[in-house]
């Protein structure tokens, strides 16, 4: 019960009302007044203990941070601005108040820089593990939202930032053998990218407000799986060139030390939360200008093809091969710590 | 994995897009276009196995139904119309596809009569029990929402329907001794009220659109606890008359057979999902007309008093007593089945 009083306090501390939030926490529902000429986006993500996270690889503050980023990233992928967050949580017995405070701190640390306000939620006890489900609401100018369904043959395929860092970070946390051979700075970078990824709100917003992208998605299941979503919903094929994938020096060093292909970390690794988007030829010049001023690099990694082309990749020798379709599994229940995430066809 | 394919199918079957739902299930976020002149309400409720429900007292269809009603009832209490639902679920291993189908059937059975559309969600495995978290979005004409904070001394206190039925139904399901002495029809009625309560959307909407209620809340924690919420947020006191509480014949019969006071079932029993609302003297005549045409009875059970009065009740002998402040606990983990819900100060 002390925990629930604390959550009430935290809600009051972090919860907000204002011009457009007529009721925040404390009534039957939150009440918001939408702005004229805006569409609303709503997304929800669930994190379950033993499925999406383990206490051994993430603090509760990191968990809160990442839960918020997963939702922020969905808003970013549609070119929106995040506004409101609702938090539901089932809390196991034995949780101390400091643990819940830390979780909220992480949530707010990710949301606050983007102006996200906490407007509601629900809390209960849990007979077993911790469950955290967020709902995030954002907005975009009417008709400007980016979807997964607008890619056309000839469009360039772009990604923000660098790929594979999060999976490399997770493997380091799970203490796989090559860890010792990496510099402390590289370790810290990769683990930071796993624990506290960035949601590409600014880039998504620039793409939607300038009408530059024909489709977009965030990379939460790995490049291959998320590119497949774009292709499926746009009814197109795609060709990517693995030689063009953007990697951080830390990820390259990790891959070399682990005798892995960095491309595999990118293709299979979920939770990078970078944006994958397509750009029509007419917008290529403008995208290059945008990229120079962006929050992060944007790299062209391929081209959209007709549906009959399917999904193919040019490998490190320049040969065209089928793109292996993997889907990121956070990790399996009961997997030994060194196992890392598994990928299944 | 078969289950997740099924959920995709169910989402596609039950999910909807349309004039105001620009993207439903299948993109990074749902995209909706709000109507001009409307405020939006957003509510979220979490149901955790072993805390809010047990497989022994509810089928999965009932659970889905009740989860939807808990959210619908929040919208009703603010005088809104429900529009959209997002469903997040963590599913334990061993769940068969038919079980998930049943859960969705229950969700939609409650939502469909009110025109609720399924527009998104998230699904994962659960290492332990079943967790279900819904987010519901509704609307109300700008400035017309009912809140908990508008009650003033002199306002009448009303409730819809009958009270105590849900708790009586739960006790019957948990097979407490008096069960045998009740008629089959009474048993079925009370269990039905526990498993498939009604959300008072029509009444809430009538109250908000005619501007008749100064405050409102839904009874999910028991009459005493929810009245206390109104009093706290409106900064007022209240007097209720237990002799005026509305009971069903079945609840009266159950109370008599169990040697319980039906008033205690009303004061302590959560999950009735009736509305508790206050009416200024100027609106009393109009409320009486409304009640004659309402979906359910509305009963005046007391009057709002100044804050110094506190919360009091006139008991069965007509004596004024402090209102005991109880808060409904669904039930305790590990409680023997006959224990029923417990109430704590």
């Amino acid at each position: 019960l002390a925990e629930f009083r604390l959550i009430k306090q935290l809600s009051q501390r972090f919860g907000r009302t204002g011009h457009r939030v007529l009721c925040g926490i404390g009534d039957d529902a939150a009440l918001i007044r939408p702005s004229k000429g805006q569409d609303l986006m709503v997304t929800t993500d669930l994190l379950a203990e033993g499925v999406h996270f383990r206490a051994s690889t993430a603090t509760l503050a990191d968990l809160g941070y990442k839960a918020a980023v997963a939702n922020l990233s969905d808003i970013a992928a549609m070119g929106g601005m995040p506004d409101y967050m609702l938090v539901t949580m089932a809390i196991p017995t034995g949780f101390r108040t400091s643990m819940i405070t830390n979780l909220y701190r992480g949530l707010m640390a990710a949301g606050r820089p983007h102006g996200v306000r906490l407007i509601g939620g629900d809390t209960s006890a849990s007979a077993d593990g911790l469950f955290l489900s967020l709902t995030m609401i954002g907005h975009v100018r009417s008709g400007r939202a980016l979807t997964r369904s607008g890619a056309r043959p000839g469009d360039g395929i772009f990604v923000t930032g660098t790929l594979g860092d999060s999976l490399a970070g997770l493997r380091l946390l799970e203490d796989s053998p090559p860890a010792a051979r990496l510099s402390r700075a590289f370790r810290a970078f990769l683990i930071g990218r796993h624990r506290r990824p960035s949601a590409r709100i600014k880039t998504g917003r620039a793409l939607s407000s300038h009408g530059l992208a024909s489709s977009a998605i965030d990379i939460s299941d790995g490049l291959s799986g998320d590119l497949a979503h774009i292709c499926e919903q746009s009814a197109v094929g795609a060709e990517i060139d693995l030689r063009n994938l953007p990697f951080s020096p830390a990820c390259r060093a990790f891959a070399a030390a682990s005798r892995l292909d960095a491309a595999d970390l990118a293709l299979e690794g979920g939770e990078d939360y970078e944006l994958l988007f397509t750009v029509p030829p007419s917008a290529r010049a403008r995208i290059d200008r945008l990229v120079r001023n962006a929050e992060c690099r944007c790299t062209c990694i391929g081209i959209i093809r007709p549906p009959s082309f399917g999904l193919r990749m040019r490998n490190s020798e320049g040969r065209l091969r089928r793109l292996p379709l993997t889907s990121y599994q956070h990790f399996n229940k009961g997997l030994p710590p060194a196992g890392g995430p598994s990928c299944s066809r």
Side-chain angles (χ1 to χ4, degrees), chain A:
Chain A
L1 277 176
E3 281 77 6
F4 294 96
R5 269 199 302 277
L6 172 82
I7 286 169
K8 200 175 167 189
Q9 288 162 15
L10 287 168
S11 296
Q12 282 164 349
R13 175 173 154 200
F14 294 123
R16 287 288 176 276
T17 58
H19 175 51
R20 301 214 160 269
V21 184
L22 310 174
C23 285
I25 292 163
D27 219 300
D28 293 287
L31 191 66
I32 56 180
R33 181 157 294 170
S35 294
K36 256 174 36 178
Q38 291 184 351
D39 294 335
L40 293 189
M41 35 190 76
V42 192
T43 182
T44 181
D45 270 290
L46 168 76
L47 298 185
E49 187 168 348
V51 178
H52 297 92
F53 62 92
R54 277 196 290 244
S56 59
T57 55
T59 66
L60 285 162
D62 291 335
L63 174 64
Y65 194 98
K66 204 149 148 183
V69 168
N71 285 273
L72 287 165
S73 183
D74 284 330
I75 301 285
M78 294 194 90
M81 283 291 289
D83 297 306
Y84 311 115
M85 182 164 68
L86 295 93
V87 180
T88 70
M89 223 188 294
I91 302 170
T93 47
F95 253 57
R96 293 187 307 278
T97 55
S98 61
M99 297 163 80
I100 300 170
T101 309
N102 282 338
L103 205 153
Y104 266 79
R105 280 206 187 108
L107 281 168
M108 297 312 294
R112 202 183 289 109
H114 301 290
V116 173
R117 279 173 283 192
L118 179 66
I119 61 166
D122 190 24
T123 306
S124 91
S126 168
D128 296 294
L130 175 68
F131 286 76
L132 177 64
S133 175
L134 300 194
T135 298
M136 199 166 284
I137 300 176
H139 73 271
V140 66
R141 218 174 99 198
S142 274
R144 287 290 191 175
L146 308 174
T147 69
R148 298 179 178 178
S149 57
R152 296 290 168 263
D155 291 358
I157 301 170
F158 285 74
V159 290
T160 59
T162 55
L163 302 178
D165 295 332
S166 177
L167 179 51
L170 176 61
R171 294 216 169 149
L172 285 173
L173 283 167
E174 292 184 326
D175 204 13
S176 54
R181 276 177 272 164
L182 271 196
S183 74
R184 190 175 291 185
F186 279 172
R187 279 181 62 89
F189 173 83
L190 294 172
I191 288 172
R193 289 271 291 164
H194 177 72
R195 285 185 171 158
R196 303 221 165 190
S198 302
R200 302 301 188 185
I201 297 287
K202 274 188 200 165
T203 306
R205 202 182 180 202
L207 292 173
S208 68
S209 61
H210 294 95
L212 297 179
S214 50
S215 73
I217 192 171
D218 69 316
I219 302 180
S220 54
D221 283 339
L223 174 61
S224 67
D226 288 314
L227 178 61
H229 288 311
I230 291 261
C231 289
E232 187 186 338
Q233 300 215 16
S234 297
V236 293
E239 173 184 339
I240 59 170
D241 191 331
L242 298 191
R243 296 168 299 183
N244 292 348
L245 297 186
F247 295 108
S248 64
C251 186
R252 285 192 194 281
F254 173 83
S258 320
R259 302 189 183 190
L260 287 171
D261 191 341
D264 288 334
L265 294 172
L267 292 171
E268 300 169 2
E271 304 188 326
D272 276 325
Y273 296 114
E274 298 294 349
L275 298 186
L276 171 67
F277 58 96
T278 58
V279 176
S282 60
R284 275 301 284 272
R286 284 186 296 156
I287 206 98
D288 291 340
R289 276 201 302 277
L290 177 82
V291 165
R292 281 198 292 276
N293 305 313
E295 59 182 336
C296 59
R297 64 202 265 194
C298 294
T299 310
C300 183
I301 62 164
I303 188 164
I304 294 294
R305 296 288 190 191
S308 58
F309 186 88
L311 266 73
R312 301 196 214 177
M313 60 180 191
R314 213 165 273 284
N315 67 13
S316 53
E317 290 100 43
R319 296 216 179 85
L320 212 52
R321 294 278 180 267
R322 283 183 81 84
L323 186 70
L325 277 189
T326 55
S327 178
Y328 183 63
Q329 312 280 318
H330 298 272
F331 45 75
N332 291 321
K333 188 188 165 192
L335 208 70
S342 65
C343 297
S344 60
R345 297 246 166 168

